[in-house]
Amino acid sequence: MGRNDDDDIIEQHTEEEMEKKDKRSRTASSSSSLLESVTPSGAEAHSGTQSSHRLLAYSDALISIIATVMILPVAHTKMQDDEELRESVQLLLTTKIAVYLMTFLIVTVAWAAHIRLFQVIVRIDDCLALLNLACMMLITFLPYTFSLMANFPENILGILLFCGCVMVIGIIQSVIVLYAFGHPFLLNEQIQVAENQTFYKHHILKVIMRVPLICFFASIFSFIFFQLSYVLLAIVIFLPYISQCLKWCRSKAIGPVAESPDSVMFYTYLPNEPLSKDRVEAFSDGVYAIVATLLILDICEDNIPDPTIVHKKFGGSLIAALQVYGPEYLAYFGSFVTVGLLWFVHHSLFLHVTKATRFMGLLNTFSLAFVGGLPLAYELTHEFPPNSHNELEAIQISCVIIFFAGIFQLAIWVVALYNEQETLHPYVRYGGCEHIFMLAKLSLYPCIALGTFIVTLILSKFSAPIFHLMEITVPFAFLVLRLLVRVGLALLQLIFCPHRPDPRALVEEEEDDAGVPFSALDT
């Protein structure tokens, strides 16, 4: 039966790919005459242009690195054994952790804006490539401005530098839009064949300049009341949802506003506005890869014994010297397995997603922000003496990080189910053959992390062995998850619906009944 399920999934994939190819061919044939009138002819139009794929891959890699490496100052903060971890974490939350989270969110906002911009522009030339490099340079400078704001919160220089960078980024993106609309063959086909390209251009420029305008006002308020500047900067992260909320309130107060006759498919600020699924996956893969790499840096830096100590203290035995670092190695392998399995769940989730939306992208950003905190969890789990109160709190913090990294992945799945006709393949929707299994796969890490947190509260003396046992057993749970789901469903059916017929048997009967006309058609 499992083989039949796999065959059905493969057939559905094949049919969907064939439908997409048919749609592309019909669209290309219908718009070819219009494109010829819009696009310059032959070599003159495309001699100096190329596909934007490599530029986008480079941009995604650069942004994912700069968003993730900001966890290093947090993870490398040394704490004394006799220092209360709770007080230290509270101190960190007001400075370095806040800087990391704000940097991650702001950088991903800039990355989402970059996605929308290059959904409009599909080809590039040398000028656009250089403008994009200038934009990337300013985006990579944003974490430094946040570090200044965190270390000198009452000094307005950090705010002014950040606002200045964002305003210049907005100007560069506006120049990119004006340049692209001046060379229409660089644009998306849908805009190329549009009757009113000017409307698209003005709409995109208006949306692009909203964030620089907010930062302009934040820089002015920094001279008067700098706390209000931080509030305005926080608004930047949730601006699309604030905009939609204000629009909904206005429609309730004065009635619905008549929409423009031109249908705007880009820069709508709607939560279900599509984002490039390929770029969401590429950015996420970059974050997971960087986090997994950061874990080994600490091993290479801190766990190489000094040759003189090996000869004096351990008689030249390198094996005996390395045994001292046993907890660090155990924490490294456990953390790497956690990062790898969270990536595996993320991969399985987006394997079944057909369209990523803006709201799904926001939830994915929150999940990746907690994934980026796993190097901090790795540092905390082996830094304190065994059976100490600090060790217990460090393990509980690690459980919280893993829980939220997994729960936001589950939230992406819930949002996708809400619009399942547009965002999910049929076999993982409600009632699909893979629906329960995918739900169990996404729920596994949040449930285990929450259970580990509760158990360590009860059995505090065994917190470290319980946590490491959780990290070791989770991979085996993934291996037997499908079997466990089937056994669980069978038990539930046996308990609550003992006389209900097996739906799989009904499906097999329907397939047998439907098989005759199909075979006749084949012959």
Side-chain angles (χ1 to χ4, degrees), residues 222-336:
S222 65
F223 293 98
I224 305 170
F225 187 63
F226 71 91
Q227 289 85 353
L228 184 59
S229 300
Y230 288 105
V231 176
L232 291 175
L233 295 182
I235 289 175
V236 170
I237 300 172
F238 303 100
L239 182 59
Y241 311 99
I242 295 173
S243 175
Q244 288 302 309
C245 182
L246 293 176
K247 186 180 293 186
W248 180 82
C249 294
R250 185 180 63 181
S251 65
K252 293 297 181 182
I254 63 176
V257 180
E259 296 290 338
S260 170
D262 298 275
S263 59
V264 180
M265 300 299 295
F266 309 97
Y267 287 88
T268 61
Y269 262 9
L270 294 173
N272 61 346
E273 179 187 354
L275 290 178
S276 171
K277 179 192 168 189
D278 293 335
R279 294 197 63 186
V280 172
E281 292 175 342
F283 177 78
S284 304
D285 291 344
V287 172
Y288 281 105
I290 295 160
V291 171
T293 308
L294 292 178
L295 297 174
I296 196 59
L297 293 180
D298 297 316
I299 293 286
C300 296
E301 181 182 356
D302 301 330
N303 301 113
I304 302 296
D306 190 348
T308 57
I309 296 178
V310 172
H311 285 288
K312 292 181 179 179
K313 190 175 180 180
F314 300 97
S317 175
L318 183 59
I319 296 177
L322 293 178
Q323 288 177 353
V324 178
Y325 303 110
E328 284 85 346
Y329 297 138
L330 184 61
Y332 163 73
F333 286 112
S335 299
F336 190 93

Side-chain angles (χ1 to χ4, degrees), residues 109 112-114 116-117 120 166 169-171 173-174 177 199-214 236 239-240 243-244 247 264-270 273 358:
V109 167
H114 193 270
R116 294 195 303 276
L117 180 61
V120 174
V166 174
I169 290 171
I171 293 173
Q173 290 183 342
S174 299
V177 171
F199 174 79
Y200 274 100
K201 179 173 67 174
H202 291 165
H203 172 76
I204 293 172
L205 289 174
K206 181 177 67 174
V207 174
I208 285 176
M209 293 308 296
R210 286 183 183 180
V211 173
L213 189 62
I214 293 176
V236 170
L239 182 59
S243 175
Q244 288 302 309
K247 186 180 293 186
V264 180
M265 300 299 295
F266 309 97
Y267 287 88
T268 61
Y269 262 9
L270 294 173
E273 179 187 354
R358 177 192 287 275

Side-chain angles (χ1 to χ4, degrees), residues 3 24 77 185 208 213 225 253 256 344 360 382 489:
R3 184 175 181 85
R24 292 194 197 103
T77 301
F185 54 87
I208 285 176
L213 189 62
F225 187 63
F344 169 70
M360 292 167 64
H382 67 82
L489 289 176

Side-chain angles (χ1 to χ4, degrees), residues 402-452:
I402 296 171
F403 172 80
F404 280 105
I407 204 69
F408 279 114
Q409 289 183 341
L410 182 60
I412 298 172
W413 171 254
V414 173
V415 172
L417 284 175
Y418 183 75
N419 298 311
E420 59 180 14
Q421 298 294 331
E422 300 177 359
T423 56
L424 288 177
H425 286 293
Y427 51 85
V428 289
R429 299 172 187 168
Y430 288 113
C433 58
E434 292 287 304
H435 173 72
I436 298 297
F437 176 64
M438 194 63 215
L439 182 63
K441 186 184 288 187
L442 288 163
S443 304
L444 186 60
Y445 253 122
C447 292
I448 289 181
L450 182 61
T452 305

